[in-house]
Amino acid sequence: MNDSRRRRTAAASCLAVTGVLLAAGCGGEAAGSSTETTSLKGTPVKVMVWTPEDTQGSAQPGVRLTAQAYEKWINANGGIKGGPLKVLTCNEKNDPDEAEKCAQQAVAEKVVAVVGSYSLAGDRYMPILQKAGIPYLGGTGVSAAEFSNPLSFPVNGGTPVVFAAHGQQLVQEGCKKISGVRYDVAAAAIVSQFLTLGAVSAGGAPAKDLKVPVTSTDLAPQVAAATKGSDCVDVILGTHSDLFVTSYVQSGAKTKLGSVVGNLTPQLAESTGGASSPLEGSAITGYYPPSSDPAWKDFLAATKGNKDIDPTNGANGTTWVAFKVFTEAVKKLPAITSEALVQELDSTSGIDTGGLTPPLTWKTSTALPIKGLDRIHNTTATELTIRDGKIEWAKPGSTFVDVRKMLTAMSSG
């Protein structure tokens, strides 16, 4: 990618990283849908998924591809209550106006739900869905409205959870002094806030907050500042984390690196030496188990051979989890409607995702008691690492780490 394109895309990319600030088309075009044929004779169950594609911003085509892979897989395995799942897709193009059009299309198509989608424009699409009574299930958690609107049902805890857990993981692995490197945009400040919360709660020092101008392509100054006096450097630059790693390698620095999923990737490790990469041993915090975990066997089977679906991509994983939750919830309904689905999700005591998350519920009693984040119910994360160039569990026998007490203490303090 050339420098001018990097500069154009950097700001949008960093917003995708920060999550809950709160990582065929629609819009002006017709909604697309799968052309898969099926022998299922029951009533079709129609949903929509939207994501940005063909854009200079943070494109996430894997979200659509994962949704379509799930559609094919579930229909090959009996469908939903004997009827086929029908997935409509919409390209929101990283454009709030297009995201709004996607929501309007979802209403016009009378979909049961919008499932497993990705968009930064929650303040534009959620009011439309709410007015129509259409739930937004398992969005990727990259807009504030996903964690505050009553028709939103997130399957993970977004930025507050994953960065609080990450700060804790870094300190527990010996990082007492942490530098966090992020883009210099106001929206990204929340990353440092929750990284520091996790670090301090675990006995470390507040994280040093280092900002990168969105037009920068040579990050040698930031590498020098981040590695000076720090035990560990947290790289939070999304798809442009390679810029930091390139300058880091050139500097000869040895300071340990870490991040949340979607920054220091297996692909980046492979391009910098694989098992001998400076990323080897990096502390990675995620929402779900690593893709090598048996819990992902259906996902890997459904997407086998599709090189455009990255199983380590958090947005793709969230889409799969969201569709599993949707399927389990609607199986219990006498009649599959948006209203009935909302009632089921609001009252369920726990939906089993097969080990991809703890059992999920959205009862009032399990909501995170923080204003603006009260749609977060799943406050768990996973502690991972890069081992032999791949993302794996940090330790044998690892499981979900719950940071609810940490976040609740922050809100009450």
Side-chain angles (χ1 to χ4, degrees), residues 2 25 28 32 47 49 60-61 77-78 96 117 136-137 141 147-148 156 217 233 247 291 305 325 327 346 399 412:
N2 61 40
V47 300
V49 59
Q60 293 284 350
N77 287 276
S117 296
Y136 188 75
L137 174 55
F147 295 97
S148 59
N156 63 50
T217 56
V233 177
S247 294
S291 59
V325 170
T327 301
D346 276 337
T399 187
S412 61

Side-chain angles (χ1 to χ4, degrees), residues 123-140:
D123 60 329
R124 297 284 291 275
Y125 63 74
M126 278 310 308
I128 296 171
L129 296 181
Q130 184 177 10
K131 184 177 180 180
I134 297 174
Y136 188 75
L137 174 55
T140 309

Side-chain angles (χ1 to χ4, degrees), residues 10 13-19 159 162-163 166 170 178-185 188-196 207-212 219 233-242 244-245 258-264:
S13 174
C14 75
L15 289 176
V17 174
T18 57
T159 292
V162 77
F163 275 97
H166 186 51
L170 287 171
I178 303 166
S179 292
V181 183
R182 64 171 177 91
Y183 277 113
D184 188 11
V185 294
I190 193 173
V191 166
S192 179
Q193 175 189 347
F194 285 101
L195 181 64
T196 287
K208 185 192 303 183
D209 185 23
L210 298 177
K211 304 167 188 176
V212 177
L219 301 193
V233 177
D234 200 40
V235 186
I236 319 164
L237 299 172
T239 54
H240 295 287
S241 295
D242 62 320
F244 184 92
V245 172
S259 195
V260 302
V261 288
N263 293 274
L264 303 181

Side-chain angles (χ1 to χ4, degrees), residues 5-258:
R5 186 177 177 189
R6 287 191 187 276
R7 288 191 288 268
R8 289 197 300 269
T9 63
S13 174
C14 75
L15 289 176
V17 174
T18 57
V20 66
L21 300 174
L22 9 196
C26 175
E29 309 161 11
S33 63
S34 172
T35 58
E36 291 292 330
T37 59
T38 177
S39 61
L40 298 171
K41 303 302 182 184
T43 303
V45 180
K46 188 162 54 174
V47 300
M48 179 173 278
V49 59
W50 56 59
T51 191
E53 299 192 57
D54 305 317
T55 173
Q56 291 181 338
S58 182
Q60 293 284 350
V63 168
R64 171 183 56 81
L65 295 171
T66 300
Q68 291 172 332
Y70 186 89
E71 174 189 29
K72 184 177 181 179
W73 177 81
I74 194 66
N75 288 343
N77 287 276
I80 297 178
K81 301 183 73 172
L85 175 67
K86 184 177 181 181
V87 176
L88 305 182
T89 64
C90 191
N91 182 4
E92 64 91 77
K93 303 177 184 177
N94 270 325
D95 183 333
D97 291 338
E98 296 297 322
E100 187 173 290
K101 291 176 184 177
C102 286
Q104 292 167 343
Q105 186 70 32
V107 175
E109 292 282 355
K110 298 181 180 179
V111 301
V112 176
V114 175
V115 183
S117 296
Y118 186 108
S119 175
L120 298 169
D123 60 329
R124 297 284 291 275
Y125 63 74
M126 278 310 308
I128 296 171
L129 296 181
Q130 184 177 10
K131 184 177 180 180
I134 297 174
Y136 188 75
L137 174 55
T140 309
V142 290
S143 71
E146 293 178 57
F147 295 97
S148 59
N149 191 287
L151 266 289
S152 176
F153 296 87
V155 297
N156 63 50
T159 292
V161 167
V162 77
F163 275 97
H166 186 51
Q168 175 179 269
Q169 179 183 357
L170 287 171
V171 172
Q172 290 175 345
E173 294 191 10
C175 304
K176 299 299 183 181
K177 298 178 181 179
I178 303 166
S179 292
V181 183
R182 64 171 177 91
Y183 277 113
D184 188 11
V185 294
I190 193 173
V191 166
S192 179
Q193 175 189 347
F194 285 101
L195 181 64
T196 287
L197 172 65
V200 171
S201 296
K208 185 192 303 183
D209 185 23
L210 298 177
K211 304 167 188 176
V212 177
V214 296
T215 57
S216 295
T217 56
D218 178 5
L219 301 193
Q222 285 78 18
V223 168
T227 54
K228 184 178 180 180
S230 297
D231 301 317
C232 297
V233 177
D234 200 40
V235 186
I236 319 164
L237 299 172
T239 54
H240 295 287
S241 295
D242 62 320
L243 294 175
F244 184 92
V245 172
T246 296
S247 294
Y248 173 88
V249 171
Q250 292 172 348
S251 75
K254 301 298 180 183
T255 308
K256 183 176 180 180
L257 301 179

